[in-house]
Amino acid sequence: MYIEINNINKKIKDKNIFQDVSLSFEKGSINGVIGSNGSGKTMLFRALCGFIKLDSGKIQIDSKPVKFGERPPVPIGLILETPGFILNDTALNNLKYLAEINNSYDESYVLWLLDFFSLAEYKDKKVKSFSLGMKQKLGIIQAVMEHQELIILDEPTNGIDKKSILKFNELMNQLKVEGKTIIIASHNDYEIKELCDTITEIENGAINETKRL
Ligand SMILES: Nc1ncnc2c1ncn2[C@@H]1O[C@H](COP(=O)(O)OP(=O)(O)OP(=O)(O)O)[C@@H](O)[C@H]1O
């Protein structure tokens, strides 16, 4: 398996954030994570990125361990909560600055993505003039623009219109064909079932059920 989560546990002040969570994801698949508010979806994503010091258990990506506070074993494209941008700069400059951190700015792909999400005509507009949905689409673009192997998206379609959701689904299927591994948290069970190969339900920091669709 490409991602292996083995018996992870984490407590913060007597509260179980994870209770013996074991889970695996295949390379080249789209995986949904569902669960009520506070069930542990975002924390699971943080753990996958190495942002959480686990009490016990281990996580491996591509057979390499995820270590707390260290760079993940593979490049991860990420949306965790609301994506933050420099509001007083343009959309294109924001994407360029973010990709340049890793020296991986691929302008033709970024321009293609902007066009794909109907944002090409706004690329030189300041992000502060963007609507919520436009910012969210920019967040999706930044999560995939560096051709990241693993894409982890927390509520990526929040606030975006139906047409853009269809475009998002099309992009995710395209990335899956390219062999990318995608994990998406959502509150919209119906929407995510359309897209995903597996659905995992998390409840109070424990896995309730994983379904292969
Ligand atoms: N920094 C923190 N310190 C302590 N507890 C936290 C912290 N962040 C989150 N938690 C707790 O961890 C649990 C899981 O939270 P998490 O954010 O993963 O939920 P979620 O499933 O993503 O919820 P939502 O659907 O609302 O986004 C919750 O009980 C939350 O209160």
Side-chain angles (χ1 to χ4, degrees):
M1 280 287 188
Y2 185 64
I3 298 176
E4 293 273 7
I5 299 172
N6 286 315
N7 287 96
I8 62 168
N9 284 282
K10 174 73 182 175
K11 251 187 189 183
I12 301 180
K13 290 183 194 157
D14 286 345
K15 175 160 176 61
N16 284 314
I17 304 293
F18 303 124
Q19 298 182 67
D20 272 326
V21 170
S22 292
L23 197 54
S24 57
F25 300 110
E26 273 175 36
K27 189 169 169 59
S29 62
I30 308 179
N31 307 279
V33 179
I34 58 172
S36 48
N37 294 134
S39 56
K41 303 180 295 293
T42 305
M43 289 303 238
L44 181 69
F45 288 0
R46 287 182 193 280
L48 280 169
C49 298
F51 298 160
I52 291 182
K53 194 172 194 312
L54 299 171
D55 296 335
S56 62
K58 65 175 183 182
I59 301 178
Q60 287 193 309
I61 302 177
D62 203 12
S63 307
K64 292 172 275 265
V66 173
K67 294 184 184 160
F68 171 64
E70 292 187 14
R71 215 172 225 277
V74 301
I76 301 181
L78 193 61
I79 295 182
L80 268 186
E81 287 144 17
T82 317
F85 293 104
I86 305 165
L87 297 179
N88 216 16
D89 208 334
T90 67
L92 190 60
N93 279 343
N94 265 280
L95 296 172
K96 194 171 169 183
Y97 300 150
L98 287 169
E100 279 175 348
I101 296 171
N102 295 319
N103 225 348
S104 61
Y105 182 53
D106 177 350
E107 186 162 76
S108 59
Y109 189 43
V110 167
L111 292 175
W112 182 85
L113 286 163
L114 285 163
D115 185 52
F116 184 83
F117 280 114
S118 309
L119 289 177
E121 63 185 292
Y122 304 102
K123 73 178 169 50
D124 297 318
K125 297 267 184 269
K126 287 184 177 171
V127 175
K128 70 178 175 194
S129 71
F130 276 32
S131 70
L132 181 70
M134 289 162 82
K135 274 189 227 144
Q136 192 71 7
K137 290 196 277 184
L138 208 54
I140 296 167
I141 293 174
Q142 68 75 36
V144 304
M145 69 180 171
E146 295 172 58
H147 307 278
Q148 294 93 331
E149 295 243 333
L150 173 58
I151 298 157
I152 296 179
L153 307 173
D154 201 354
E155 305 284 347
T157 54
N158 255 3
I160 73 174
D161 60 38
K162 268 194 199 144
K163 186 171 146 243
S164 303
I165 291 176
L166 292 177
K167 295 298 268 183
F168 170 77
N169 288 357
E170 188 185 331
L171 179 66
M172 292 302 113
N173 278 314
Q174 197 174 316
L175 294 171
K176 170 178 144 175
V177 171
E178 290 171 17
K180 315 286 191 216
T181 307
I182 300 161
I183 309 175
I184 303 171
S186 177
H187 285 117
N188 190 330
D189 292 16
Y190 175 74
E191 194 182 292
I192 204 152
K193 277 176 188 150
E194 293 276 288
L195 180 65
C196 290
D197 300 306
T198 73
I199 298 280
T200 295
E201 188 178 353
I202 183 163
E203 197 179 307
N204 291 325
I207 302 300
N208 202 12
E209 186 181 27
T210 298
K211 272 193 231 154
R212 185 160 287 279
L213 302 173

